[in-house]
């Protein structure tokens, strides 16, 4: 609560008025005293009045300063609290009001999948190159070599790459039937795992002959 200045002025005026009234009552009593005595009494009254005024002013000013400090501290606390609440809510509101568009999300997912797939393919190729020098063989022009030379080179590459698969990868056939068996491909099949060849028309299920069982990756080490 702020100090009421009107009340302060009224109190000071009352003190001064009361002091002058007391002085007017004392003065007639001092007429019979000597000059030095009267001077001493006046000095004493002046000192007492000054002390009273000094104490009152100091108390009032101290109260005003304390209240101002409390108001400034309360204002600072309120501003700090408002700042802590305002910025997190504003940041959350921006996220809620402006979500990424669906096409942007799809592009981000596709990019992430492409990066992951590329990294996995590069890792597998690095294994085959390290173990069996497969990339060197595939990049080599073998048209100038006869079948015996190519067969001899392929035997070594086959052995090393087969060991690499056994060491780093786990595979299983896409289809468990034997090659040459008649099979039925039901609706909902995965085109990336099963490739239909020949004259195909209509909708599945399709019946045909299994030419290759295919392979699918079940794990990597």
């Amino acid at each position: 609560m702020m100090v009421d200045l009107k009340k302060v002025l009224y109190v000071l005026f009352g003190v001064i008025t009361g002091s002058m009234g007391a002085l007017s009552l004392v003065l007639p009593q001092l007429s019979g005293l000597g000059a030095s005595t009267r001077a001493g009494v006046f000095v004493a009254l002046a000192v007492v009045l000054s002390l009273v005024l000094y104490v009152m002013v100091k108390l009032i000013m101290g109260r005003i300063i304390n209240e101002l400090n409390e108001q400034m501290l309360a204002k600072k606390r309120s501003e700090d609290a408002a700042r802590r609440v305002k910025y997190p809510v504003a940041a959350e509101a921006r996220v809620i009001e402006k979500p990424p568009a669906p096409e942007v999300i799809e592009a981000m997912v596709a990019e992430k999948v492409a990066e992951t797939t590329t990294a996995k393919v590069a890792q597998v190729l690095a294994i085959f190159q390290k173990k069996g020098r497969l990339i060197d063989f595939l990049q080599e022009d073998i048209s100038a070599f006869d079948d015996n030379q190519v067969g001899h080179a392929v035997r070594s590459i086959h052995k090393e790459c087969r060991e690499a698969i056994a060491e780093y990868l786990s595979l299983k056939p896409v289809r468990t039937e034997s090659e040459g068996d008649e099979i039925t491909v039901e609706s909902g099949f995965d085109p990336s795992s099963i490739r239909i060849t020949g004259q195909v028309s209509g909708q599945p299920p399709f019946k045909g002959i299994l030419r290759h069982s295919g392979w699918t990756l079940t794990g990597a080490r």
Side-chain angles (χ1 to χ4, degrees):
M1 183 184 295
M2 289 293 295
V3 176
D4 192 340
L5 295 179
K6 288 184 177 181
K7 291 183 179 180
V8 173
L9 294 175
Y10 288 155
V11 171
L12 291 176
F13 181 75
V15 172
I16 294 173
T17 304
S19 300
M20 294 184 66
L23 184 61
S24 64
L25 294 176
V26 172
L27 287 175
Q29 305 297 328
L30 300 178
S31 59
L33 300 176
S36 60
T37 304
R38 286 198 300 273
V41 172
F42 284 134
V43 170
L45 290 175
V47 171
V48 171
L49 180 60
S50 299
L51 288 175
V52 171
L53 292 176
Y54 171 77
V55 171
M56 290 188 65
V57 170
K58 187 172 182 180
L59 291 175
I60 293 171
M61 291 302 297
R63 179 68 180 277
I64 292 175
I65 292 173
N66 289 336
E67 290 185 355
L68 289 176
N69 289 335
E70 291 177 359
Q71 287 184 351
M72 292 177 64
L73 183 60
K75 183 179 180 181
K76 186 176 184 303
R77 289 174 178 171
S78 177
E79 291 175 351
D80 292 342
R83 189 180 300 107
R84 285 194 299 269
V85 173
K86 179 180 178 181
Y87 291 126
V89 172
E92 182 180 357
R94 283 196 294 272
V95 173
I96 294 174
E97 291 175 1
K98 296 182 179 180
E103 56 271 18
V104 175
I105 296 177
E106 291 178 1
M108 293 171 61
V109 172
E111 181 180 359
K112 189 65 176 178
V113 170
E115 291 177 357
T116 304
T117 303
T118 302
K120 290 182 178 179
V121 170
Q123 184 178 10
V124 172
L125 288 177
I127 292 172
F128 286 148
Q129 173 64 17
K130 179 181 178 181
K131 292 290 186 179
R133 301 180 64 87
L134 177 63
I135 297 177
D136 290 344
F137 173 74
L138 296 176
Q139 293 295 99
E140 182 74 25
D141 182 8
I142 62 173
S143 60
F145 301 98
D146 58 34
D147 292 345
N148 290 331
Q149 291 175 313
V150 174
H152 178 74
V154 169
R155 184 180 299 277
S156 175
I157 294 172
H158 177 272
K159 176 178 178 295
E160 298 295 340
C161 290
R162 182 181 177 87
E163 291 177 355
I165 291 176
E167 182 177 356
Y168 293 100
L169 305 175
S170 296
L171 303 175
K172 73 174 184 178
V174 176
R175 302 287 303 201
T176 58
E177 299 90 346
S178 300
E179 295 181 2
D181 289 350
E182 183 176 340
I183 64 171
T184 300
V185 179
E186 303 291 347
S187 60
F189 71 95
D190 184 4
S192 63
S193 299
I194 299 177
R195 183 164 61 95
I196 307 295
T197 61
Q199 296 181 353
V200 182
S201 61
Q203 299 296 325
F206 301 120
K207 290 188 176 182
I209 303 300
L210 180 64
R211 298 304 182 188
H212 188 276
S213 299
W215 297 100
T216 183
L217 180 67
T218 60
R221 294 177 288 279

